[in-house]
Amino acid sequence: EGAMQHISMGANGRLVIPSGVRSEIGMPEGGAMVVSVQDGKVVLEPYRDVLARVQAQVRAYVPEGISLVDEVIRDRREDAERE
């Protein structure tokens, strides 16, 4: 992990993330982030990391060889046929 850096909150609660920190986490300019509070601390994570973690959690509940997309499409078609 990198060294701690001091930052200050500006107008409207804005924080500037130092370029070294942005580089360390691979955050491109304009990159999407997810903010949360964990144990009283503000945590910023790249959106792509949070998305990958959630996808892995969902995948744990989907049987091998099952496509959720195909399941949803099939369900929608069946619903449409019943209407």
Side-chain angles (χ1 to χ4, degrees):
E1 292 185 22
M4 287 188 196
Q5 297 184 38
H6 179 267
I7 60 173
S8 298
M9 189 176 302
N12 299 322
R14 294 181 183 180
L15 298 171
V16 174
I17 301 171
S19 63
V21 173
R22 293 192 313 266
S23 294
E24 193 172 321
I25 64 171
M27 180 184 173
E29 185 174 323
M33 302 291 288
V34 174
V35 63
S36 62
V37 177
Q38 297 175 14
D39 298 322
K41 298 175 185 170
V42 175
V43 177
L44 287 174
E45 296 178 89
Y47 178 81
R48 68 179 183 280
D49 293 354
V50 175
L51 179 60
R53 186 172 62 243
V54 170
Q55 287 172 332
Q57 290 170 344
V58 169
R59 215 175 353 262
Y61 295 97
V62 179
E64 186 72 29
I66 298 294
S67 166
L68 291 181
V69 172
D70 292 341
E71 293 284 318
V72 170
I73 291 170
R74 189 186 77 238
D75 289 348
R76 295 292 186 264
R77 286 182 178 152
E78 289 174 359
D79 290 345
E81 288 174 6
R82 283 191 290 264
E83 292 180 1

